[in-house]
Amino acid sequence: QVQLVESGGGLVQPGGSLRLSCAASGSIFSINVMGWYRQAPGKERELVATITSSKSPNHADSVKGRFTISRDNARNTVYLQMNSLKPEDTAVYYCNLYNYRDKYWGKGTLVTVSS
């Protein structure tokens, strides 16, 4: 089993920044993909960004140029640096780990962008 714990959410004004972190523990295989998804009220969960264990990133078009995903393999931690935040970025952000066999999810952290 794999456990994922997110942190770093909160309330921020439009144009502001936040950094999310997700620490993974348990039976983690060295080859995996970690990522961030988000779910806004009344909407389906959507991909924000993913990054492979070889640190190849992929960002959704809606966040390109504003968000950056990164990871520290030694710490089994993935980060999401969010800049130029917009009200439409308001959502619960979920960490995900895929080891090419199973998918694991964190409990989520709420990001609210509002003045």
Side-chain angles (χ1 to χ4, degrees), residues 2-114:
V2 173
Q3 294 77 43
L4 302 171
V5 179
E6 303 103 334
S7 61
L11 173 64
V12 62
Q13 292 187 343
S17 298
L18 278 177
R19 188 192 195 207
L20 305 184
S21 300
C22 172
S25 61
S27 301
I28 302 167
F29 299 122
S30 60
I31 307 299
N32 58 63
V33 179
M34 296 188 75
W36 292 94
Y37 291 70
R38 67 186 180 186
Q39 188 166 18
K43 294 188 176 181
E44 294 187 353
R45 191 173 298 189
E46 64 175 3
L47 170 71
V48 177
T50 60
I51 186 166
T52 66
S53 46
S54 59
K55 300 189 178 180
S56 176
N58 175 55
H59 297 83
D61 288 343
S62 59
V63 306
K64 278 182 181 176
R66 301 188 298 122
F67 293 9
T68 302
I69 191 170
S70 62
R71 66 187 287 168
D72 183 338
N73 290 336
R75 297 175 184 268
N76 292 319
T77 300
V78 64
Y79 306 95
L80 186 68
Q81 178 66 44
M82 305 186 293
N83 299 328
S84 303
L85 282 160
K86 304 175 181 179
E88 51 263 43
D89 295 318
T90 295
V92 177
Y93 283 71
Y94 296 92
C95 180
N96 171 272
L97 185 148
Y98 175 53
N99 61 12
Y100 298 97
R101 186 180 70 181
D102 300 305
K103 273 190 176 181
Y104 299 92
W105 294 93
K107 293 183 177 180
T109 184
L110 177 63
V111 172
T112 303
V113 184
S114 175

